[in-house]
Amino acid sequence: MTEATHDETEATHDEAHGGALGSRLNWLRAAVLGANDGIVSTAGLVVGVAGATGDRSTLLTAGLAGLLAGSMSMAAGEYVSVSTQRDSEKAALAMERRELREQPEAELAELTDLLEERGLSREVAREAAEQLTERDALRAHARVELGIDPDDLTNPWHAAWASFVAFTVGALLPLLAIVLPPADWRLGVTVVSVLGALALTGWSSARLGAADVRRAVVRNMAGGALAMAVTYGAGALLGAVGV
C-alpha cells in the first residue's frame, strides 16, 4: 500500500458516518437558526426603539430585555419540545422491551421483514435478524424499527443551552451596534451589521441544508430588512405623537 493510499484510508476512517453526521448537522442547523432569530428579533426591537428615541440607556435597556426574554423563551421552548421527544422515545423503548419479552418470535419475524425491506434476501435477512437478536434484541429493534439509538437519546438540557447560547450570540450583534457608535451612526451601523450577519446565517443554513445559497441569503436579508423597517416606522410614529 502506498503512502498516499494509506493516508486516504486514515482520512476515510476519521470521517463521521451515519447518525453521528446527521446529528451534528442538525445541531449546527439549529445553532444557525437560533442565532438568526436572535439577530432579527433584537434588531427589530432596538431599531424600533431608536425610531422613537436616541437615548443610549433606553436603547441598552430595551436591547438587554429583548435579549434575555428571547434567549430564555428559546431555551424553555426547546427544553419542553425535546423533553416531549425524549419521553416518546422512552415510551417506545419500553413498549418494544415488553413485546420482546411477551412475543419474541413475532418480533424476530418483524425484524426479518424490516431487514428484507432494506434490500436483503429473505435468507440473509433472517440470519441477520437472528444474530442481531442474540447480540442485543432491544438495540436491534430500536435502531431498525424505531430509528432510535438507545444509548444516545435526545437531551433536553443540551438543546436548551444550545438555543440559549445561539440566540444570545445573535442578539449581541444588533445590541452592540445600536449602543456603541455615536448617535448619528447608530442606525446605519446597525442596519449594515444586521444585514451582513443575516447574509452569513442565510449562507450557512443553505450550505447545511444543501439549498440554493443565493435564494436563502436574499430571503434572509429581505426578512430582516422588512422587520427593521416596520419596527422603525412604528417607533418613529409613536415618538412623533409623543407616546
Side-chain angles (χ1 to χ4, degrees):
M1 180 182 296
T2 64
E3 184 177 349
T5 305
H6 180 71
D7 291 341
E8 291 174 1
T9 303
E10 287 187 347
T12 303
H13 289 168
D14 288 339
E15 291 177 358
H17 296 283
L21 178 59
S23 177
R24 185 181 304 173
L25 289 177
N26 286 335
W27 279 107
L28 288 172
R29 189 176 295 111
V32 169
L33 295 178
N36 193 81
D37 288 343
I39 294 169
V40 174
S41 61
T42 307
L45 175 62
V46 296
V47 167
V49 174
T53 178
D55 182 66
R56 189 189 301 269
S57 62
T58 301
L59 292 171
L60 178 61
T61 300
L64 282 175
L67 184 154
L68 292 174
S71 59
M72 293 300 295
S73 175
M74 287 283 291
E78 195 70 15
Y79 179 83
V80 171
S81 175
V82 176
S83 292
T84 301
Q85 179 182 345
R86 185 182 178 90
D87 291 342
S88 299
E89 291 174 346
K90 286 184 174 181
L93 289 173
M95 179 179 295
E96 196 65 38
R97 188 179 292 109
R98 183 174 62 253
E99 290 175 348
L100 285 168
R101 184 177 60 252
E102 295 176 354
Q103 43 188 350
E105 288 301 322
E107 289 298 298
L108 178 60
E110 181 181 34
L111 183 58
T112 301
D113 292 338
L114 291 171
L115 292 174
E116 186 178 9
E117 290 174 3
R118 296 193 174 190
L120 299 180
S121 67
R122 185 67 183 179
E123 294 75 15
V124 174
R126 178 71 181 192
E127 182 180 353
E130 290 175 349
Q131 292 184 14
L132 289 171
T133 299
E134 291 176 3
R135 183 173 303 172
D136 193 325
L138 179 61
R139 179 173 284 102
H141 281 266
R143 290 179 173 174
V144 176
E145 180 181 349
L146 305 176
I148 298 174
D149 185 350
D151 297 324
D152 188 26
L153 297 181
T154 52
N155 189 313
W157 285 109
H158 289 172
W161 277 111
S163 295
F164 180 87
V165 171
F167 187 97
T168 300
V169 170
L172 280 174
L173 175 71
L175 175 58
L176 295 176
I178 202 72
V179 300
L180 292 182
D184 293 340
W185 289 69
R186 287 175 188 165
L187 187 60
V189 169
T190 301
V191 170
V192 171
S193 300
V194 167
L195 292 181
L198 291 177
L200 179 60
T201 56
W203 176 86
S204 300
S205 61
R207 295 287 292 178
L208 290 170
D212 183 80
V213 172
R214 181 180 301 178
R215 182 178 301 176
V217 169
V218 171
R219 183 172 55 230
N220 221 28
M221 294 177 67
L226 178 61
M228 289 187 288
V230 170
T231 56
Y232 181 81
L237 179 61
L238 291 174
V241 298
V243 176

